Amino acid sequence: MQLDLKTIEALAPDQASLGAAAKLTKRSNWPRLETNEQLGLIWGECQGSGSNPYRVMFDTGDHGYKCTCPSRKFPCKHILALMWIGATAPASFALVDQTPDWVNDWLGRRRKPGQPPAQAPARAEGKSIDEASRPEQNAPVEDAAAAERREAAQRKRAEDTRSAVSAALDELDQWIADQLRLGLAGFVDACSERCRRIAARLVDLKATALAGRIDELPARLMALRSEERPDAAIRELGKLVLLARAWRAAPDDAELKRLVSTSETRDQILASPDAVQVESDWEVLGEKIETRRDGLVSHATWLLDLKSSAPRFAVLLDFFPASAGRRSGAFAPGDRFRARLVFYPSRNPLRALIAERLGDAAPGAWPAFPEGTANDPLAAYTAFQDGAPWLSDCPIILPAGAIALDEKEGAWWQAAGDPHGIALPVAGSVSQTALGLDLAATAALWNGARLELLASQSSIGRLDLS
């Protein structure tokens, strides 16, 4: 079996499908796993929500697949899970010489008797220029009726998805009302079980991205001190209510669809006329790596535009299976390079793709923050929340200041000049090297309660704080 995780990621329709597939790779979900290496086939039966297991089959030669589940995603999570097991645990498959009838039936429909597995197209080295430029005689031409049927099917799928997501948000509203009625103290104590239950229901109703966000809520709450958890819970529940209302007002909005159901592909973003493109010099501020409960690792790389008159940020997001182990990043904190970035359409463009890398960038200072920011370093966060109040992490540039350590409260960032000026709590631990240093500027993420430090410019040079 020639399978690898890169192939699986390339075939996956979205990151939510990968996460769902990761949950299905447990051996208890697959009472039957078999392979016929001579034919290049793997197949299995996966226990789904019905009484009969789904029959899943995959051709490792040409990546053909079939699953009996009713999912409208191609490939579905069961196919991805079967491939995942084949790539990471091939010993789980029993070697057999005879394929079952249901596999043979599928194989017979997609291949003529005696036809070998599909091969790569022959290289055109032997063709003349005239032959190469001549149109293919046997190329199928889609007629108008077929194109209309395909477009009608796409519209029907979109309508079905919208109806399912609308029902999911109705259930979410009722769930949030129940949590408030029962009390926040009880919600914090039992958040893991309650969030997992509603997240599973949202997945069934195609609100997969929103389900992932709720599934991660218990981990974020448990990372806080006990006295901070009720306030954090009410903030997050409030953001979910705002997100649901915004989606109902504009269900076709690209950003809202991305946050609630599914995300666009890389090709869709690069081809989108609404995607902002910025060519500039960028510095890697830092990384944020989190292992999610769905079996995926989220790797966020934060960038700073070095040629902008005001701080402009970008984040590169990568997702990969936790079972694949730690990946070496393409960048290291402090790297500088010139590139053209394409931003996902949104109210506050942050997530981006590198469309073209143009070489290394010369060292230099960070752009100066605008006038007046020193008096209100959270002004950018206020504008960020005005545009999209359902989001959390906002990148900001803090003015001159220092980091101090309190034995009870932990680390704090304190603005320079006024000992009674603004002070912001810092999440996690801080390197002893940074304590007490005069920091000319600091890049951080602010979520409304705590700072996550990324990097600083100081008298001794650049400090990596992520």
Side-chain angles (χ1 to χ4, degrees), residues 89-359:
S92 301
F93 292 82
L95 294 173
V96 297
D97 295 328
Q98 299 295 327
T99 56
D101 292 340
W102 49 274
V103 176
N104 285 330
D105 182 58
W106 167 70
L107 198 61
R109 289 198 303 270
R110 66 186 303 267
R111 295 181 189 163
K112 296 179 181 179
Q115 178 185 354
Q119 302 293 325
R123 300 178 66 180
E125 293 177 355
K127 286 187 177 182
S128 67
I129 296 179
D130 292 338
E131 290 175 336
S133 60
R134 189 178 304 147
E136 294 289 343
Q137 298 297 326
N138 298 326
V141 179
E142 186 178 39
D143 57 18
E148 185 177 352
R149 288 194 299 270
R150 177 170 52 82
E151 293 176 359
Q154 291 175 347
R155 289 194 298 268
K156 180 65 166 58
R157 285 195 295 268
E159 292 173 0
D160 291 343
T161 299
R162 181 183 297 184
S163 299
V165 171
S166 180
L169 296 181
D170 290 341
E171 293 202 17
L172 176 64
D173 285 345
Q174 183 60 54
W175 179 79
I176 292 176
D178 291 341
Q179 309 316 308
L180 298 178
R181 177 175 53 83
L182 296 173
L184 286 178
F187 170 73
V188 171
D189 292 338
C191 62
S192 182
E193 179 183 354
R194 296 184 187 181
C195 289
R196 176 55 62 92
R197 189 181 302 120
I198 186 62
R201 183 57 182 152
L202 294 180
V203 169
D204 293 339
L205 293 173
K206 302 185 184 301
T208 50
L210 188 57
R213 176 171 177 169
I214 294 176
D215 206 21
E216 297 300 318
L217 177 57
R220 294 196 297 271
L221 293 180
M222 292 303 107
L224 303 174
R225 296 198 301 267
S226 57
E227 62 270 20
E228 296 177 327
R229 293 170 187 169
D231 288 341
I234 197 64
R235 277 197 307 271
E236 181 61 21
L237 294 179
K239 290 180 182 294
L240 294 176
V241 170
L242 293 173
L243 177 57
R245 291 183 178 179
W247 186 91
R248 289 190 181 98
D252 293 327
D253 183 90
E255 179 184 10
L256 299 176
K257 288 172 64 176
R258 192 181 312 131
L259 294 172
V260 172
S261 53
T262 57
S263 179
E264 308 94 322
T265 64
R266 175 184 175 87
D267 291 339
Q268 289 174 328
I269 295 299
L270 294 178
S272 173
D274 299 325
V276 177
Q277 300 194 25
V278 178
E279 182 178 317
S280 185
D281 293 346
W282 304 89
E283 178 178 314
V284 180
L285 293 175
E287 299 175 320
K288 185 177 180 180
I289 302 174
E290 297 176 315
T291 301
R292 309 194 319 181
R293 295 184 66 178
D294 59 7
L296 292 179
V297 175
S298 169
H299 187 163
T301 303
W302 287 92
L303 309 178
L304 176 66
D305 187 348
L306 297 174
K307 289 192 172 181
S308 175
S309 59
R312 175 191 285 153
F313 300 89
V315 59
L316 309 177
L317 276 181
D318 185 24
F319 299 91
F320 56 90
S323 59
R326 178 71 182 271
R327 285 187 177 183
S328 57
F331 305 101
D335 285 352
R336 293 191 171 202
F337 59 94
R338 182 166 184 80
R340 178 169 58 89
L341 267 57
V342 180
F343 287 81
Y344 283 66
S346 64
R347 292 157 182 79
N348 301 310
L350 274 180
R351 185 179 178 184
L353 299 170
I354 297 181
E356 184 180 9
R357 186 164 177 175
L358 305 172

